[in-house]
Amino acid sequence: FLLNRSSDLKHKIPKVKTLGIYFYRNKKGETSMQKLLFIINSAPYGNESCFSGLRLALQIQEQHKAEIKLFFMSDAVTAGLAKQNPSEGYHVQQMLEILTSQGATVKLCKTCTNARGITELPLADGVEIGTLVELADWTIKADKVLNF
């Protein structure tokens, strides 16, 4: 059982597993896919925080087919740029494109992209510019919020 954060904290919601996918029953007994929000703040290269968040999102998407949303802020917004060519190691653009092709929603903070002068640059496939208003809505609607 999980507590329903968005309404009555005393109301428990049973978790249902069907074909490896976790769903939750609302007060009317209807099921819905678990909603996860990843907020990523760290630059895509230099440390592995962004990479770790993307790895977890990919694993959850593969293993549980949850509804995944990713919102990039601060220096992490550079992860959403197209034409990345890392010399070694992981490739953030490819990871984002895999996630978006599997139904994840990926947005970059508009204020952060403006501050870095990258708002008009081409973005990776499926990546969009988003706003703090959208992030606030996503946060309220998410079952879980993970920060990297």
Side-chain angles (χ1 to χ4, degrees):
F1 287 98
L2 293 178
L3 294 179
N4 183 352
R5 297 179 343 166
S6 62
S7 59
D8 182 3
L9 290 177
K10 295 177 184 173
H11 180 73
K12 291 184 177 181
I13 302 174
K15 182 167 73 168
V16 179
K17 184 176 182 183
T18 306
L19 299 174
I21 302 170
Y22 286 93
F23 293 89
Y24 293 89
R25 293 194 188 279
N26 63 18
K27 289 180 182 180
K28 296 178 183 176
E30 302 161 333
T31 58
S32 64
M33 193 178 299
Q34 187 170 17
K35 297 177 178 104
L36 302 177
L37 170 59
F38 289 73
I39 300 174
I40 300 181
N41 294 288
S42 298
Y45 303 101
N47 73 48
E48 293 189 359
S49 184
C50 176
F51 175 61
S52 296
L54 293 175
R55 285 182 55 217
L56 179 58
L58 284 164
Q59 186 63 41
I60 290 171
Q61 188 72 333
E62 179 183 319
Q63 196 172 331
H64 299 290
K65 306 291 187 247
E67 181 182 319
I68 294 179
K69 294 182 185 287
L70 297 103
F71 197 90
F72 290 77
M73 301 184 79
S74 304
D75 288 336
V77 295
T78 59
L81 294 175
K83 302 180 182 178
Q84 293 182 35
N85 190 19
S87 59
E88 59 184 62
Y90 54 92
H91 197 297
V92 171
Q93 180 183 345
Q94 287 178 350
M95 295 173 84
L96 289 175
E97 289 174 351
I98 290 168
L99 283 163
T100 59
S101 72
Q102 294 175 347
T105 304
V106 177
K107 295 207 176 186
L108 311 178
C109 169
K110 185 176 183 177
T111 302
C112 303
T113 59
N114 284 342
R116 288 155 183 79
I118 63 172
T119 305
E120 301 303 322
L121 294 178
L123 301 177
D125 291 342
V127 176
E128 302 173 358
I129 301 294
T131 65
L132 201 56
V133 171
E134 289 173 295
L135 177 58
D137 289 341
W138 287 5
T139 303
I140 293 298
K141 293 175 183 172
D143 295 309
K144 294 180 183 159
V145 177
L146 298 99
N147 289 283
F148 287 88

